Amino acid sequence: MNRLNFLRIAGLAGATLTMGKILKASPQKSNKAEFVGVLYDSTRCVGCQECEIVCAKEHGLPKPDPEDYPTTKEVRKANEKRRSVINAYETSKGELYIKNQCMHCNQPACASACLTQAMHKTEEGPVIWRDNKCMGCRYCMVSCPYDVPKFEYHSSNPNIEKCNMCFDRIKEGLQPAFVENCPAEALTFGTRRELLAEAHRRISSNPETYYDGIYGENEAGGTGFLILSAVPFEEIGLNTKLQKKSYPELTKGFLYSVPSVFVLLPAILLGIFKATKKRQTQEEENE
Amino acid sequence: MNSIENIASRDNAGQPIWKFLMSELKPRGKYFTPFNIISVPIILVGLVLIVIRFIYGIGSITNLTQEVPWGLWIGFDVVTGVAFAGGAYVITFMVYILNIKKYHSIVRVTVLNGFLAYVFYAGALLLDLGKPWNVINPIIGNSFGVSSVLFLVAWHFLLYMMAQLIEFSPAIAEWIGAKRARKILSSMTIAAVIFGITLSTLHQSGLGALFLMAKEKIHPLWYSEFIPIMFFVSSIFAGLSMVIFEGSISHKVFSDQISEKNHKAHKGIIHGLSKICTIAMFAYFFLQVLTFVHGKHWDLLNTPMGYWYLTEMIGFVLLPMILYFYSYRTQNIFLIKLAAIITMIGIIINRLNVTVIGFRWDAPNPYYPSWMEIVVTLTVLFIEIWIFRWIVRRLPVLRESPSWVKDH
């Protein structure tokens, strides 16, 4: 009888623990909150790399090499020493520039992958990384559809490097450094709703300049970094194969099945155990 | 009979516990066995490499890149190792839940194997963490990342290790001669087994679910939303093949530990397991075919990755399945062991295909493990075998429990 009671309590406790855990794990229904974001109008970008320089200065990263500028010959990549890069592409409308950085997804794969909440979608909108929580498992890198988080492989106390939209400046009421310093005014800071409205306005008032679409409006469930382009997105190296649903949706089914398994399976196992035990004692009595 | 009495008397019979433990710590057996000669230098090199890794960072000994952040240590040590450790939950299910007494003699060694696998492969995970000192964060509760599959897997690893320790603990009590403790500990076995099977079901599949968000990064022939189910089903025959393989080695190496009766029963056990493997592999193969047909990737078959996919499915799933079936029907123990080895290679290939080979297969600079990553992997594996051997030589794992157990 004691053992049975123990099992009951253990089962209940286990079930409550997991249930509590999973219910909290459902995607945040914070779409009502006004996320801030950045609209990047690549048709205005002149590829001057000022954003790269101020980013390095703002976040204490090594000063960019002046010899390393965008050319159509190679695709430059962000890494643990630079959070954002400008690339040049030869397109149907001539040579065009495109900034590559964190997209600040509405429902980021990296943050839902993070088991310590080091990668975090702030209420304001930027996705930030927190040093004291991270254990360096790099699951965010595995999960990010844009391959944004970068890891310091050659450090004994490695950090993840990624754009945080200058979150400290935003909290102080300032604009992100790369937005403020863009000489071509290719970057606009604001709430995501305003930025989308502005982007649509630009497309409809200048249909010959713009490709009809906003990269990030629906990609990966919508992003905080929105891109306007003169040419179809593939031509400037943007990944158009990404799904429109958010990436955390992909693990939702699995995570939702956990509480049911945790409640039902032990009960079934206990049932089978009792049944086979009974059969066995009967057999022994018959002998 | 006499030899068995001798073996049984190895357990503690009334000595003070510390004196007994000190005497047990002394090494036993020959020093210069082929295994020792191979493993000791590799372990020493591996330990040096681990020190280098902690001073100069993970990049100093691995080939990991920004595009491929998980390599051999996760793909082989953790993901493959845990699949092989699946034998423990299958065997405890059969023995304790279904009450099939036939497999009782291999429960302890299988649980011990599973337990050590989890300890060491989860330990290998620490080597792969950039900031391993923060590993307590998801456990002590100051930062629960509850929407993460990895959070679930981490917790399940921890809890399952405890469940396995409880399942194994009566052997420790018998070893040190703690009669009362044994009674209490063995009364907890059923609860630990039920809890353990539930945890295993979820984290075996959870290891697959880890990769669900890497939708565009994994080759379409290996990515599907059914990865979790595939990982779970394949862990059944992966674990049992490991039990067959490990059992046939143990029966040679530790033959002095095994009673005449269990020696004879071993063939029957292997024979029974081959039947379960056949059924589980059939279900798995069927699932794979179904997923492939639904995925509509016929065009991809005629590519190098397609040939590799067909090699895996035909050479390392279908073939060993037929071999298991044939050797079960003809009672050919040698062929069963052969099928087990081919199945195990197939599991290694499958797990690496999902986690490493098929991951960013299109990257401009693909990842290949460095020799140092391989040496560290072997170090972890060899230390585990050393500990396993140490325990089997001392605790009643393969041999019968001391005679006082039956009197109770």
Side-chain angles (χ1 to χ4, degrees):
Chain A
M1 213 43 205
N2 271 337
R3 186 196 286 166
L4 192 62
N5 275 335
F6 171 76
L7 282 174
R8 278 189 185 135
I9 295 164
L12 272 177
T16 348
L17 269 174
T18 28
M19 292 279 269
K21 186 168 88 188
I22 295 312
L23 290 179
K24 268 200 282 175
S26 50
Q28 299 104 344
K29 296 192 177 61
S30 49
N31 284 341
K32 282 176 205 144
E34 287 265 4
F35 285 152
V36 293
V38 172
L39 174 65
Y40 169 59
D41 190 337
S42 71
T43 62
R44 298 184 183 180
C45 181
V46 292
C48 69
Q49 293 179 280
E50 185 62 23
C51 51
E52 289 184 23
I53 296 163
V54 295
C55 177
K57 209 166 138 191
E58 177 71 25
H59 300 290
L61 295 165
K63 215 175 163 201
D65 176 8
E67 297 294 303
D68 180 26
Y69 52 85
T71 68
T72 52
K73 290 190 187 71
E74 57 150 357
V75 179
R76 302 165 72 232
K77 283 189 172 168
N79 57 36
E80 71 273 26
K81 294 191 182 78
R82 53 184 188 197
R83 294 179 177 185
S84 163
V85 287
I86 301 276
N87 274 309
Y89 283 90
E90 194 56 54
T91 69
S92 49
K93 289 192 178 176
E95 189 176 318
L96 290 176
Y97 298 101
I98 178 82
K99 184 180 196 300
N100 170 282
Q101 63 152 76
C102 174
M103 299 294 289
H104 297 281
C105 304
N106 289 346
Q107 289 180 43
C110 59
S112 97
C114 185
L115 75 168
T116 60
Q117 294 186 337
M119 207 55 99
H120 177 60
K121 176 77 176 170
T122 57
E123 279 176 24
E124 292 82 355
V127 179
I128 61 167
W129 173 81
R130 297 179 290 186
D131 163 54
N132 57 337
K133 290 182 185 283
C134 177
M135 54 189 230
C137 71
R138 307 190 292 289
Y139 187 31
C140 51
M141 301 169 71
V142 171
S143 305
C144 174
Y146 299 102
D147 269 338
V148 163
K150 306 292 175 192
F151 184 76
E152 292 180 335
Y153 281 110
H154 292 278
S155 161
S156 59
N157 183 11
N159 290 336
I160 293 281
E161 287 295 343
K162 75 174 270 302
C163 164
N164 65 356
M165 220 195 270
C166 296
F167 185 59
D168 292 335
R169 288 175 60 98
I170 291 177
K171 273 194 298 188
E172 287 169 22
L174 298 167
Q175 295 202 345
F178 62 101
V179 175
E180 199 176 84
N181 290 289
C182 178
E185 292 185 1
L187 293 154
T188 318
F189 178 73
T191 66
R192 190 169 182 270
R193 197 169 46 90
E194 291 165 1
L195 295 176
L196 277 174
E198 169 65 14
H200 282 296
R201 196 190 59 76
R202 285 188 200 175
I203 294 173
S204 52
S205 54
N206 273 313
E208 12 356 303
T209 313
Y210 292 100
Y211 170 70
D212 188 14
I214 305 165
Y215 191 85
E217 186 172 20
N218 298 310
E219 275 73 15
T223 63
F225 191 72
L226 301 160
I227 302 171
L228 285 175
S229 163
V231 292
F233 299 131
E234 305 86 64
E235 290 191 41
I236 46 172
L238 295 171
N239 189 347
T240 49
K241 289 184 186 134
L242 300 182
Q243 62 168 21
K244 302 288 180 224
K245 279 192 304 178
S246 82
Y247 277 73
E249 292 275 319
L250 292 168
T251 52
K252 208 169 105 182
F254 175 77
L255 287 170
Y256 275 16
S257 73
V258 171
S260 353
V261 172
F262 235 104
V263 174
L264 296 177
L265 191 57
I268 294 168
L269 291 174
L270 196 61
I272 303 174
F273 166 69
K274 289 283 175 197
T276 54
K277 202 180 165 195
K278 204 172 167 190
R279 193 185 64 198
Q280 196 198 2
T281 32
Q282 276 170 353
E283 277 168 11
E284 272 165 18
E285 275 165 13
N286 291 342
E287 271 169 20
Chain B
M1 251 347 250
N2 197 16
S3 67
I4 292 166
E5 285 302 307
N6 271 336
I7 293 166
S9 69
R10 280 188 203 164
D11 297 313
N12 189 14
Q15 276 191 74
I17 177 113
W18 291 115
K19 210 170 158 190
F20 170 71
L21 285 181
M22 287 308 285
S23 70
E24 287 285 275
L25 272 178
K26 276 182 218 142
R28 288 193 190 142
K30 281 187 286 187
Y31 288 109
F32 295 102
T33 62
F35 174 71
N36 289 3
I37 292 168
I38 296 168
S39 66
V40 169
I42 291 181
I43 290 177
L44 291 177
V45 176
L47 292 177
V48 173
L49 291 173
I50 289 171
V51 172
I52 294 174
R53 172 252 170 276
F54 276 106
I55 297 173
Y56 297 105
I58 295 170
S60 59
I61 66 167
T62 69
N63 280 347
L64 295 172
T65 64
Q66 303 292 357
E67 281 85 28
V68 185
W70 284 358
L72 188 72
W73 289 353
I74 300 288
F76 182 76
D77 299 22
V78 180
V79 178
T80 313
V82 166
F84 284 146
Y89 81 88
V90 183
I91 298 284
T92 52
F93 174 71
M94 293 196 293
V95 170
Y96 292 109
I97 306 295
L98 295 183
N99 240 314
I100 309 175
K101 288 279 174 286
K102 181 178 165 188
Y103 301 106
H104 197 273
S105 64
I106 58 165
V107 166
R108 270 192 187 170
V109 69
T110 311
V111 170
L112 174 66
N113 234 319
F115 175 69
L116 289 179
Y118 276 85
V119 170
F120 277 86
Y121 303 149
L125 196 65
L126 289 181
L127 300 178
D128 201 64
L129 292 183
K131 298 167 184 279
W133 49 91
N134 278 345
V135 74
I136 49 161
N137 275 351
I139 297 163
I140 57 175
N142 63 343
S143 30
F144 275 181
V146 285
S147 57
S148 170
V149 179
L150 194 57
F151 179 79
L152 180 108
V153 171
W155 265 95
H156 281 200
F157 271 20
L158 191 75
L159 294 174
Y160 188 48
M161 274 191 247
M162 294 200 274
Q164 283 187 314
L165 190 60
I166 293 173
E167 287 168 25
F168 184 71
S169 60
I172 303 173
E174 286 169 19
W175 173 54
I176 57 174
K179 296 184 188 179
R180 263 185 66 84
R182 189 201 175 273
K183 210 173 168 188
I184 299 166
L185 290 171
S186 47
S187 73
M188 290 156 73
T189 301
I190 284 297
V193 164
I194 290 179
F195 194 46
I197 294 168
T198 311
L199 290 169
S200 292
T201 313
L202 288 171
H203 73 240
Q204 291 285 358
S205 48
L207 280 176
L210 281 181
F211 293 89
L212 286 178
M213 279 199 283
K215 192 180 173 190
E216 287 85 12
K217 300 185 187 184
I218 295 172
H219 192 281
L221 285 173
W222 283 277
Y223 182 91
S224 76
E225 63 263 55
F226 301 110
I227 299 181
I229 298 172
M230 305 273 201
F231 268 41
F232 171 66
V233 176
S234 56
S235 77
I236 297 173
F237 58 82
L240 291 183
S241 298
M242 185 64 170
V243 169
I244 294 171
F245 177 73
E246 172 272 322
S248 35
I249 292 177
S250 286
H251 270 250
K252 287 208 178 71
V253 179
F254 304 113
S255 58
D256 58 324
Q257 297 272 338
I258 297 162
S259 69
E260 199 73 14
K261 192 181 101 210
N262 284 344
H263 252 308
K264 283 193 183 127
H266 192 63
K267 273 188 185 166
I269 289 175
I270 288 188
H271 188 230
L273 293 180
S274 69
K275 185 178 165 188
I276 303 168
C277 282
T278 314
I279 297 166
M281 287 181 91
F282 180 75
Y284 175 71
F285 187 71
F286 191 71
L287 266 174
Q288 286 281 13
V289 172
L290 218 58
T291 314
F292 173 75
V293 173
H294 273 268
K296 300 192 182 82
H297 295 308
W298 293 97
D299 50 321
L300 290 173
L301 281 187
N302 200 11
T303 62
M305 286 306 263
Y307 306 144
W308 182 228
Y309 175 78
L310 288 176
T311 311
E312 182 195 322
M313 287 307 144
I314 294 168
F316 293 96
V317 182
L318 193 61
L319 175 80
M321 180 186 98
I322 294 168
L323 208 55
Y324 265 132
F325 180 68
Y326 175 77
S327 50
Y328 169 74
R329 295 297 295 272
T330 55
Q331 307 215 1
N332 187 330
I333 298 295
F334 170 77
L335 279 185
I336 293 179
K337 290 177 184 170
L338 184 68
I341 291 170
I342 300 175
T343 306
M344 286 169 66
I345 298 171
I347 287 294
I348 296 174
I349 291 175
N350 172 260
R351 294 303 194 265
L352 290 182
N353 277 340
V354 174
T355 61
V356 180
I357 299 169
F359 190 88
R360 274 295 146 109
W361 80 102
D362 52 353
N365 49 341
Y367 159 87
Y368 295 99
S370 70
W371 67 267
M372 293 177 280
E373 284 175 80
I374 297 170
V375 169
V376 170
T377 297
L378 288 176
T379 302
V380 172
L381 192 70
F382 284 149
I383 296 180
E384 191 211 338
I385 296 173
W386 273 74
I387 303 276
F388 177 76
R389 187 173 65 173
W390 189 91
I391 294 176
V392 168
R393 288 250 168 88
R394 282 158 185 83
L395 272 64
V397 176
L398 284 169
R399 66 168 178 268
E400 304 279 326
S401 297
S403 49
W404 54 263
V405 172
K406 287 192 191 82
D407 305 339
H408 274 268

